[in-house]
Amino acid sequence: METPNHPLPKFQALLLGLQHVLAMYAGSILVPLLIGTALHFSSTQLAYLISVDIFCTGLATLFQLKQTPITGIALPVVLGSSIQAVSPLINIGSSLGWGAMYGATIVAGLFVILIAGTFARLRAFFPPVVTGSLITVIGLSLIPIALQNWGGGSLTAKSFGEWQNLLIGFVTIVLTLLLMKFAKGFLKAIAVLMGIILGTLFAAALGRVSLKPVADAAWFHLPQPFFLGTPTFSWSASLTMIIIVLTAMVEATGVYFALADLTGKKLEQKDLARGYRAEGLAVVLSGIFNTFPYSTFSQNVAVVRLSGVKTKQPIYYAACLLLVLGLLPKFGALATIIPSAVLGGAMMVMFSTIAIQGLQILGKVDLNKEGNLLTAGLSIGAGLGISSVPTLLAHLPEQLQMVMTNGVVMTTVVAVILNLLLNGWPKADQDVNA
């Protein structure tokens, strides 16, 4: 196998791309499933929604990979539907209509494009003590999602936590770890992918895999602008979605720095601005094609770390796979037959490593300095605490709750404020990558 920063053979890059797709696929299609079901979309509308969502995910990822004078972070990132948008969009869609959802999404995307340069100037407020705390909480806050999938996907299902689910997730973890420990070269790099495939085969042997979704899916579906509804515009809906995309920008900042740390790239202000604009463009696209806002997926940071392959080449293949899956629903349905317990097992391996990466960054920070120690400790505690007990803020205004009950955002706010109070205002030329 080639070294991590050199071109890979096409077939190897394709398999690594597939590994990225599987890492984000379930999380991405979850958003249209939740919103479409809550708003009583028909089966035809829901099928369209999932297909076009996957197609636009591929386009959105390409926006980030390919650097232009104004867009593209040019890091190995994958975009997917933002889970933070689920509850607000359901509220908007049920009260103001589907068109209001898409109008508000377009406005929010344009807002991100307009403020990208200004937001990027906050770069100096993200020194290692802040980014390390942020990345640690990103990883730890994803672990409950892994456990929920491991148990069967739905906490309210009667089958949740059945011994078959626990066994399938455990076997997936063991197989993945064995491959990571004993496999060599490229096989080691795709340990997560192989763990998912072998875990699915094991689940099939237990009768827990159904091919019905593949049989029922259509062969071809072409995305169409405004297929589900023409955008309408409401200031309250637009304001709500602007708050949501600001939250996603904060999370994206943590992912950018995590990938910069892994790949050794020094992030400049202009790089961050290009990344934010690419996300804004993707959000506008989602409104036009009647899907839902996209943001950078932190799940895929772990795939980069575990595979050791730090080039963008596999991500280009992942984006192309997503485009194909979006046009050919029958092939896209193949990924949906993977049992939740298998994905949960794989997620446990992946998400844990993101938290460790954050701790590694903090390990380079002088924690003997009281300001750094208090900043890291309290920001991580605040982020994990509010994730566990979001009702703590139940009496705050609803708009504020949307933001502050997000553990990653809470960590960022507390870390930035404490770092300023305890360590002082950053110098204009401060290198946040140091």
Side-chain angles (χ1 to χ4, degrees), residues 110 130 227 278 311 338 344 386 410:
L110 292 173
V130 173
F227 179 79
T311 70
I338 300 170
I386 204 63
M410 177 64 82

Side-chain angles (χ1 to χ4, degrees), residues 88-113:
L89 284 173
I90 290 174
N91 291 336
I92 293 170
S94 58
S95 60
L96 299 175
W98 298 355
M101 293 192 303
Y102 301 122
T105 298
I106 291 172
V107 170
L110 292 173
F111 175 81
V112 172
I113 294 172

